[in-house]
Amino acid sequence: MQNVQNNIDLPPEICVKPQALVGFSGLDIVNNAVHKAIWEIFSSNRRVERAPIQFKIISNAHEFRTSYDWYIPKGILKRNWMSKHLYEIPAVMVIFYNLDWNDSLWNEKMIECASRVQSMRAALEGRNTRITVVLVQNVLPPPVGEDILASERAVALCSSCDLNSQSLFVLPHGDHLQGYAVRLENAFYEFSQSIYHNEAKHVKSHKEHLNKNSHQYLFVRHQFKMGFLYELKQDIHTAHKHYAVAYNNLLEIRIVDTNALEIRTIAGFINYKLCRLMFALNLPRDAISQFKAHIDKFKNRMGFQELTFEHYAWLSKQYSVFGEIFDEAVKLGLPAVQTQHPGIYYQQAAQFAILRKKSCQELCSAIIAYPHPDPLEGASHLEFYGQRPWRPGKVTAEPPDPHLESNGIQAIQFLEKQSLIISLFGLAISQYKTYRCPRTRRHLVLQMADEYYNSKDYGKALTLLTHMLWDFRNERWWGILSQILEKALTCAYFTANVQDYVLLALEILCSSVTIGVDEKRRIYENLNRILKVRTATDCPVGNIGCCVGNRFLFGDLKIPQDVLQNAIILWQPVLSAEPLNFSLDMANIITCIETKARFTKGAYEVDQNVTVEVFIRSTCPFPLAFSKVSVTINAPEYSSEFAVTNLEEVSLNFHNFEVKKFIIEFMADTNDVNKDIQIGAINILLGNSSECCLDLKYTSVLDTSNNYMELLHFKQCNNKLDFENIQPLSTASIVPRDSKLGVDFIHSQPAY
């Protein structure tokens, strides 16, 4: 069985930037140090300013394939044609030969050199490759016209090899090898440009043998070939023109189910070439317009309905590839803005990848067997791009075999795999971050978390969701925040993450979170189970019926039974091992327990009691009981913790929206005179040390309500203490006390 989903991927030969191919023959880089140095000079350190040439060593036994089938078109574009011109058929063939002008064995070596040239010419028969000879010499050549012997022997050698004088070069190896190599390289590049131009003219000459009725595929193929050859020639203006004609010719072909894959595959190739060249020509708007028109033309041309997921995969790839081209152009200096940047296309690619996954789930779930014989056999050896392995080389007019088509579709459905949705989201998120689009970035992070959730990677989903909670808390998006909390709590449950589960549960029980009372009751009961659990049978309940059918942000939360059973297995050892003690930092977290603290005045004398008032409000719809309340006081040189002193008067049991005031008193330290002391934190303990103890630490500005909306001050306050209008005072000064000793001076005028 073979996976043929690589039909959506662009082949390497399409993505590579075409460069002229120059072949080297006669260099023994393994045994000859001079030859190795020559090869390294040409092939290494290919800087931008050097000619765009790719060099390749070609052995004497290399076979150059040649074929042409323009009479009966069996497909649009052959798989081996581009790679053949990129890596196999050189535009210029350079034959290196060790020969000095004054060599004592000149005649024998001249004959051997001519023999090598004739052998290479015979191997290249039918090709327009330019053959040149480079004589590797030990001595520097004399100035032109001064060495009569060299001139005579050069003419003789050209005549023997059947070469013109412009195809014979001399390369002395010595101190100036780099300079000679660069000049040779430029000459080879000029030859290659001429060769590719002539090759394009040769392809163009076939047009007179074609007609629109029988050779529609060839009209596309020939224009594509000419565009590619002009790319090799580095004439991107002309290349763009031919690719545009090829694309328009392709649009004239009638699309049916049997040729839809081939048409859209080639359309994707040509569109890639057009967009890339437009960016290179500094025409970004034209590139964007071309891509949008391309998508509009092929968005609804699916082919077989049973392979809809394949079409969505192709659309996803088109968007991601254009995003890559766009991003590459931006890195080269193209300006981009918030409304038009690569992230937009990565995001669309992810959306189509999601459609692909959903379509696959609908169409492929019933396929349980792979057909025999294998209809996909030979998929990696097809002659043309975009064709089906069970009907290779078939023209559109030929009626398909229904049985073969059915088996082929079944095989593709069986082998369909989900695409890399998460990686596409990652690319889009990085782009939106670069272009400062925070809200879109957050939306994509939530979608990425959804994909992790669907793939049962609950740990990574929890990490992303908890990271996003910070942003949505600050902006008070209560509806979205409620959904994120619910999803994050589910992930914490599935991973048996006790600390996150408790923290999220306290936040969900807040009055601002808009979920049902029944769901809050279940979470409240689970929280109590964690606080009092001593046996494995008392672990939290995984009932998530309220989540089913909720499509606000995350789609359906339909949890398989095996996931629930695995969660119970994870919870049992965590809760039954030893007493659980957690210290939770509640700074910047909105929970059902809100706190405020203040000194009763701004300055205290050193021998007075310092009084701190702590206000606590519970917005949990169910009773809460604390075991301890304390305050941490920070002095310049130390910190101290003080418990409340009025527990006889005020209970630690809270009901919904109940506000209580606690008093903490302590004697000021004499070492703090003329210094400031601060309320560092409010500590509230839930549970007890023998079972499970949660130390909730409220720091920051010590105002966990964080609710300063003006309209709240107009509503009627039914509580004895108006929690909303309590102003925290977190700093006080310790001042010297007034002296309790009075001194009076009583005196009279002395007698005279």
Side-chain angles (χ1 to χ4, degrees):
M1 295 185 295
Q2 301 181 45
N3 191 346
V4 295
Q5 300 309 314
N6 56 4
N7 277 328
I8 66 170
D9 296 327
L10 293 179
E13 55 268 24
I14 279 284
C15 300
V16 71
K17 184 178 180 180
Q19 292 184 329
L21 181 63
V22 174
F24 283 0
S25 176
L27 291 180
D28 184 2
I29 61 175
V30 177
N31 303 312
N32 192 312
V34 174
H35 288 186
K36 182 179 180 181
I38 292 173
W39 169 247
E40 290 178 349
I41 284 291
F42 281 101
S43 61
S44 303
N45 196 20
R46 302 295 305 172
R47 297 180 180 176
V48 178
E49 62 270 15
R50 295 184 67 173
I53 297 177
Q54 180 182 2
F55 295 100
K56 180 180 180 180
I57 292 181
I58 297 177
S59 65
N60 294 330
H62 184 80
E63 294 184 3
F64 301 94
R65 293 175 298 172
T66 176
S67 62
Y68 195 73
D69 63 342
W70 56 271
Y71 294 106
I72 304 176
K74 298 179 180 180
I76 300 177
L77 188 61
K78 286 190 175 182
R79 286 178 174 269
N80 65 351
W81 186 85
M82 284 180 287
S83 59
K84 179 174 64 177
H85 285 277
L86 285 170
Y87 309 116
E88 296 182 24
I89 307 297
V92 180
M93 190 69 219
V94 183
I95 300 174
F96 288 86
Y97 192 77
N98 295 320
L99 182 59
D100 286 298
W101 297 124
N102 58 354
D103 195 297
S104 58
L105 300 176
W106 168 263
N107 291 327
E108 291 83 350
K109 290 187 175 182
M110 182 179 67
I111 294 173
E112 182 183 357
C113 180
S115 176
R116 290 189 183 182
V117 173
Q118 294 304 323
S119 298
M120 187 59 68
R121 184 174 285 117
L124 289 167
E125 185 178 3
R127 297 291 177 186
N128 294 325
T129 303
R130 176 75 173 262
I131 297 178
T132 63
V133 173
V134 175
L135 301 181
V136 181
Q137 299 185 337
N138 295 318
V139 296
L140 292 175
V144 179
E146 295 186 8
D147 191 339
I148 300 176
L149 178 63
S151 300
E152 292 176 352
R153 289 189 167 181
V155 172
L157 182 61
C158 289
S159 177
S160 178
C161 296
D162 194 17
L163 295 174
N164 60 46
S165 59
Q166 295 179 342
S167 298
L168 178 63
F169 301 92
V170 174
L171 179 60
H173 62 84
D175 296 337
H176 302 286
L177 182 60
Q178 175 78 37
Y180 284 108
V182 170
R183 278 185 281 179
L184 283 178
E185 183 179 284
N186 292 332
F188 300 155
Y189 177 62
E190 291 179 7
F191 289 159
S192 69
Q193 286 189 308
S194 176
I195 294 299
Y196 289 129
H197 180 74
N198 292 334
E199 190 72 17
K201 288 176 63 177
H202 176 67
V203 174
K204 186 178 181 180
S205 67
H206 296 316
K207 186 176 181 180
E208 62 188 37
H209 302 283
L210 307 179
N211 64 78
K212 286 282 186 178
N213 294 328
S214 305
H215 304 107
Q216 282 185 305
Y217 283 7
L218 295 183
F219 276 97
V220 179
R221 182 195 302 179
H222 291 163
Q223 290 295 331
F224 182 91
K225 284 185 175 182
M226 285 189 281
F228 193 82
L229 290 168
Y230 276 107
E231 270 198 284
L232 288 168
K233 186 179 179 290
Q234 308 304 315
D235 185 354
I236 59 176
H237 287 88
T238 308
H240 171 264
K241 181 185 70 173
H242 286 291
Y243 283 134
V245 175
Y247 190 84
N248 291 331
N249 288 339
L250 186 71
L251 296 180
E252 296 177 3
I253 300 175
R254 180 173 174 266
I255 298 179
V256 294
D257 289 349
T258 52
N259 73 348
L261 175 64
E262 184 174 11
I263 297 295
R264 70 169 177 245
T265 298
I266 303 304
F269 292 176
I270 303 176
N271 177 74
Y272 172 82
K273 288 290 188 181
L274 284 171
C275 293
R276 191 167 186 176
L277 290 180
M278 287 175 183
F279 277 119
L281 293 169
N282 198 24
L283 299 171
R285 292 184 179 179
D286 291 349
I288 294 170
S289 298
Q290 161 62 30
F291 178 75
K292 290 181 177 179
H294 169 67
I295 294 298
D296 289 342
K297 289 182 177 70
F298 288 93
K299 188 174 182 178
N300 298 319
R301 300 186 178 185
M302 293 186 179
F304 290 107
Q305 294 298 317
E306 298 87 347
L307 299 178
T308 303
F309 57 84
E310 190 179 54
H311 182 66
Y312 287 139
W314 179 81
L315 286 170
S316 175
K317 191 65 179 181
Q318 296 303 296
Y319 275 101
S320 66
V321 166
F322 187 77
E324 293 172 6
I325 301 172
F326 199 165
D327 190 29
E328 180 183 348
V330 170
K331 291 177 181 177
L332 295 175
L334 177 71
V337 294
Q338 281 188 339
T339 56
Q340 196 61 252
H341 60 83
I344 296 171
Y345 301 94
Y346 288 129
Q347 180 184 3
Q348 285 297 319
Q351 298 304 324
F352 277 110
I354 292 173
L355 290 176
R356 173 190 184 179
K357 182 183 68 174
K358 292 179 179 179
S359 176
C360 173
Q361 292 170 349
E362 294 174 2
L363 297 171
C364 307
S365 58
I367 305 299
I368 58 175
Y370 192 83
H372 293 282
D374 185 1
L376 304 183
E377 183 179 359
S380 58
H381 304 291
L382 289 172
E383 186 179 6
F384 293 91
Y385 290 109
Q387 292 191 346
R388 303 293 188 185
W390 60 85
R391 44 177 165 80
K394 299 292 185 180
V395 296
T396 307
E398 298 182 27
D401 185 328
H403 182 68
L404 278 178
E405 294 293 328
S406 177
N407 285 347
I409 291 171
Q410 181 180 341
I412 294 175
Q413 290 175 333
F414 185 85
L415 294 175
E416 167 67 0
K417 298 183 182 296
Q418 294 184 4
S419 58
L420 300 178
I421 301 172
I422 292 173
S423 63
L424 292 172
F425 275 130
L427 292 170
I429 289 167
S430 64
Q431 293 291 334
Y432 278 105
K433 183 177 180 180
T434 300
Y435 294 99
R436 300 180 181 179
C437 305
R439 290 184 176 173
T440 305
R441 182 184 66 84
R442 291 172 203 156
H443 177 67
L444 294 179
V445 172
L446 294 180
Q447 289 185 304
M448 180 186 285
D450 186 37
E451 289 305 316
Y452 276 125
Y453 185 93
N454 292 335
S455 61
K456 299 182 181 181
D457 193 343
Y458 301 112
K460 290 181 180 178
L462 178 61
T463 300
L464 291 175
L465 292 171
T466 52
H467 180 69
M468 285 296 99
L469 284 172
W470 295 89
D471 295 320
F472 288 105
R473 285 191 196 107
N474 293 333
E475 296 193 2
R476 299 294 190 266
W477 290 76
W478 295 116
I480 301 176
L481 184 63
S482 301
Q483 301 297 325
I484 299 174
L485 285 168
E486 194 173 9
K487 190 72 173 280
L489 188 75
T490 305
C491 293
Y493 176 78
F494 289 151
T495 55
N497 190 323
V498 184
Q499 184 167 332
D500 282 348
Y501 188 92
V502 168
L503 197 61
L504 292 165
L506 289 173
E507 190 165 2
I508 284 180
L509 293 174
C510 169
S511 62
S512 300
V513 176
T514 56
I515 66 172
V517 177
D518 292 339
E519 175 65 7
K520 285 191 176 184
R521 184 181 299 278
R522 182 187 65 80
I523 294 170
Y524 171 76
E525 292 172 353
N526 279 347
L527 181 61
N528 285 332
R529 285 190 179 93
I530 293 174
L531 293 174
K532 299 183 188 239
V533 68
R534 286 296 89 216
T535 63
T537 57
D538 293 332
C539 63
V541 178
N543 175 24
I544 51 168
C546 68
C547 298
V548 176
N550 185 349
R551 299 186 60 85
F552 181 71
L553 270 179
F554 302 104
D556 293 340
L557 302 183
K558 297 178 181 178
I559 309 303
Q561 190 64 30
D562 61 326
V563 176
L564 293 175
Q565 293 175 352
N566 183 65
I568 295 173
I569 294 172
L570 292 175
W571 274 96
Q572 290 176 353
V574 172
L575 296 179
S576 61
E578 293 181 358
L580 301 173
N581 294 296
F582 295 111
S583 179
L584 304 178
D585 186 2
M586 311 300 285
N588 302 319
I589 297 178
I590 304 170
T591 67
C592 62
I593 305 168
E594 301 173 358
T595 64
K596 290 183 180 181
R598 67 184 180 187
F599 291 104
T600 54
K601 55 184 179 179
Y604 295 91
E605 293 182 358
V606 70
D607 61 347
Q608 290 181 338
N609 276 344
V610 178
T611 304
V612 178
E613 294 178 339
V614 178
F615 300 89
I616 299 177
R617 178 171 70 174
S618 170
T619 61
C620 177
F622 312 104
L624 284 179
F626 307 138
S627 57
K628 180 183 176 183
V629 176
S630 63
V631 171
T632 300
I633 302 297
N634 296 330
E637 297 178 357
Y638 63 91
S639 295
S640 301
E641 184 176 351
F642 302 96
V644 297
T645 57
N646 62 334
L647 286 181
E648 297 82 4
E649 304 172 9
V650 184
S651 170
L652 290 177
N653 296 324
F654 282 78
H655 296 284
N656 187 23
F657 272 96
E658 186 175 5
V659 182
K660 294 184 179 182
K661 180 174 74 171
F662 299 92
I663 303 298
I664 295 173
E665 292 183 334
F666 59 92
M667 186 65 70
D669 195 324
T670 56
N671 294 322
D672 295 332
V673 175
N674 294 324
K675 297 178 182 177
D676 291 339
I677 58 174
Q678 257 185 346
I679 301 175
I682 301 172
N683 293 81
I684 301 176
L685 262 62
L686 274 173
N688 57 75
S689 57
S690 64
E691 295 177 341
C692 179
C693 182
L694 304 179
D695 182 5
L696 311 181
K697 187 174 183 180
Y698 292 84
T699 58
S700 187
V701 296
L702 303 174
D703 178 9
T704 56
S705 67
N706 287 329
N707 216 337
Y708 295 115
M709 293 180 289
E710 289 78 358
L711 292 177
L712 287 177
H713 299 290
F714 289 93
K715 69 181 183 181
Q716 182 179 2
C717 181
N718 297 322
N719 299 307
K720 184 176 180 181
L721 294 172
D722 187 2
F723 188 83
E724 301 292 350
N725 289 318
I726 295 172
Q727 296 299 320
L729 179 61
S730 59
T731 303
S733 301
I734 305 300
V735 297
R737 64 176 174 83
D738 293 336
S739 176
K740 295 181 180 180
L741 177 65
V743 179
D744 290 332
F745 293 93
I746 302 174
H747 64 92
S748 300
Q749 291 288 338
Y752 291 99

